[in-house]
Amino acid sequence: MDKTTELLIHELVNKSLEGTIVESEMHQLNQLVAGDPQAAAYYVSCVRLHFAFSKTGPLLREHSRPCALDGVHVLQAFAEYEMTAPGVEIPKIPIEGHPAPTAGIEQARAAKISKTPLMTVLISCAALLMVLIYIYIKPVPMEVATLTDAVDAQCLNTNIMLLPGARLQTAQPPVMLTGGIVKLLYDNDVEVLIEAPAEYQIESSGAIRLNYGRLFARVSEAGKGFSVFTRNTKIVDLGTEFGVYADPLNKTELHVFKGKTTATVTVNNTVQTIGVIGGQAREINADGQAREIHLKKEGFVRAIDSKTDLVWRGQKLDLADVVRKGNGLGTGSSDKRLNYEKGYTTEIRWGHTSLFETYLPIEDSPFIDGIFIPNGRTIISSRGDVFEGFPFTNGVYCADLIANPKPGAFVIDGQPRTIQFGGQEYSELGKSCIVMQNSNHGVTFDLDAIRKCYHLKIDRFESQVGLVDFDEKRCNANFYVLVDGQLRYSLLGYTQKGILNRVLVNLKDTDRFLTLATSENVDQIDYMANSTLHENWCVFAEPVLVMESDDSGF
């Protein structure tokens, strides 16, 4: 330690003991003492000298850190007692071989123990104890996680930058998230998403504290035992996906989506542990009382991607929204329609009939591979997958492919009409649907592109199919669901209007393309005489992909 550092420590100690030190100077003093044993020793000597020549009580209490005060107070009490205690006489002990002093000889008076040196020793010990506590007991910050992504994140802590790639440490002040969402990845592969408003603090390599807000955790095999602390509950993971909500009034909600957890609470000074498994949820009030509540499947943000503005709360991916040039979560527009010659367009054409015999890739949508008109042996993907089971249709179509039309968008016999099944409206303001008006339509979705964007597994495709009951004209249509060119569902020669039929197709991770198609069920011998093209109002109602978290990680 050089002379300049000595002088600086001496000056800062004096300011501290006099009560004139500012926060930045106190921080500087702490860094000097904690980072250099020689500086720490010099600090002790400065404090010892000061207390040897001044009144120590109030100044020491002001200077000491809270964690060291108890020890200082004890030592200081001993010093104060020594200052006021009566003297103790120590009689002389006769030495063997020498006569004891006679009564006439003046008795030697016992000397009193000197008070100032004892006080100095005790105060020096107290100061040394304070330094040791600061250096050795104060938690040492450790990097245990990484901020991997953030969407519109805002923080009240002006010194914290919520930037992807930032390493995160323990023993730091709580982060006050005032806007957006952050995603943290612990080094043991535990993923945590936190949604504002929230206040959180990284406790250790296997724990986080949530003072208030919403948190979702996806725990790997290596991270089992990961814990979330709220103000009244300790939640321990046993291999799960779970969400935690903590409100400012000390209420905690635990929602378990997969696996199992334990929630530890204190009720009437008794510690209780509650097991909560996948599909269950519990609410713990401020008094520690727990009750069963409904699982909020879409109550927590479970995946984000700042590059695509993705915020996924566990909802199904709506393919009707994808047809509307959306991301599947409601960002599409009813003004967008797919034309078999132009791709996406806002142009509306009525009563127009065309021929189309090639596969048209759709580059404007990341999730739609392309569109086509079924006609016998037909290419149905950009990879060249072929399906030979379509009937002969001459490649005729007379309407664009649309989704979630506006109410009253169709004019039948001079009257505006809205698609309905069983009294339920399917439109921009109702439930979602893909409308394959006048049949002869096909659209192929790229499942791999969806997985890559969402970082999620696709479990299955769900929908309902039916013919809209707009009039009494005859109809005859076919419905198809294909995966990689292979038929997975069909409803052929269907003529019943106003009835929906359920469709469920399980999907594997290796499945690449999902194709939805309709065609008219014509007699190939006399195509034009038997055509029902203009009477087939075919609908895929609520066509969705059911998503699950990807256990392989992000």
Side-chain angles (χ1 to χ4, degrees), residues 321-347:
D321 184 64
V322 173
V323 169
R324 288 155 38 101
K325 209 174 181 180
N327 65 359
L329 301 178
T331 62
S333 169
S334 293
D335 294 329
K336 304 293 184 181
R337 53 181 58 223
L338 283 167
N339 180 268
Y340 292 91
E341 299 170 57
K342 300 180 180 180
Y344 271 112
T345 180
T346 58
E347 179 185 356

Side-chain angles (χ1 to χ4, degrees), residues 204-351:
S204 68
S205 61
I208 190 170
R209 181 172 296 278
L210 182 67
N211 292 330
Y212 63 84
R214 293 184 181 275
L215 175 152
F216 174 80
R218 182 176 293 115
V219 182
S220 66
E221 186 70 23
K224 280 187 177 181
F226 183 79
S227 301
V228 177
F229 294 90
T230 67
R231 288 172 175 168
N232 67 339
T233 308
K234 176 185 178 183
I235 297 161
V236 179
D237 154 80
L238 300 174
T240 62
E241 290 182 9
F242 64 92
V244 178
Y245 168 69
D247 74 1
L249 299 178
N250 296 342
K251 181 183 75 173
T252 298
E253 291 184 12
L254 170 61
H255 299 258
V256 182
F257 301 99
K258 284 185 179 181
K260 54 185 177 179
T261 63
T262 61
T264 301
V265 298
T266 301
V267 183
N268 298 326
N269 297 321
T270 302
V271 177
Q272 297 182 2
T273 299
I274 306 165
V276 186
I277 63 174
Q280 295 182 347
R282 295 290 187 276
E283 177 189 277
I284 298 98
N285 63 22
D287 296 326
Q289 301 289 339
R291 69 181 184 94
E292 187 173 352
I293 59 175
H294 179 68
L295 180 72
K296 296 178 181 177
K297 294 183 179 180
E298 300 179 11
F300 300 87
V301 174
R302 296 159 68 177
I304 63 172
D305 189 334
S306 58
K307 295 180 181 178
T308 59
D309 291 327
L310 166 68
V311 177
W312 184 66
R313 299 179 182 274
Q315 65 268 51
K316 300 172 183 178
L317 187 77
D318 186 1
L319 294 182
D321 184 64
V322 173
V323 169
R324 288 155 38 101
K325 209 174 181 180
N327 65 359
L329 301 178
T331 62
S333 169
S334 293
D335 294 329
K336 304 293 184 181
R337 53 181 58 223
L338 283 167
N339 180 268
Y340 292 91
E341 299 170 57
K342 300 180 180 180
Y344 271 112
T345 180
T346 58
E347 179 185 356
I348 300 176
R349 300 182 304 166
W350 295 103

Side-chain angles (χ1 to χ4, degrees), residues 16-17 26 43 51 56-78 80 122-123 125-134 137:
S16 175
L17 295 171
M26 191 65 185
Y43 169 83
F51 281 104
T56 62
L59 293 176
L60 182 59
R61 283 194 297 271
E62 180 178 346
H63 180 63
S64 300
R65 292 175 57 86
C67 61
L69 282 179
D70 292 340
V72 172
H73 287 166
V74 171
L75 293 174
Q76 187 175 335
F78 279 113
E80 292 175 352
L122 292 174
I123 296 303
C125 291
L128 179 60
L129 176 63
M130 180 183 69
V131 173
L132 293 176
I133 289 175
Y134 179 82
I137 298 181

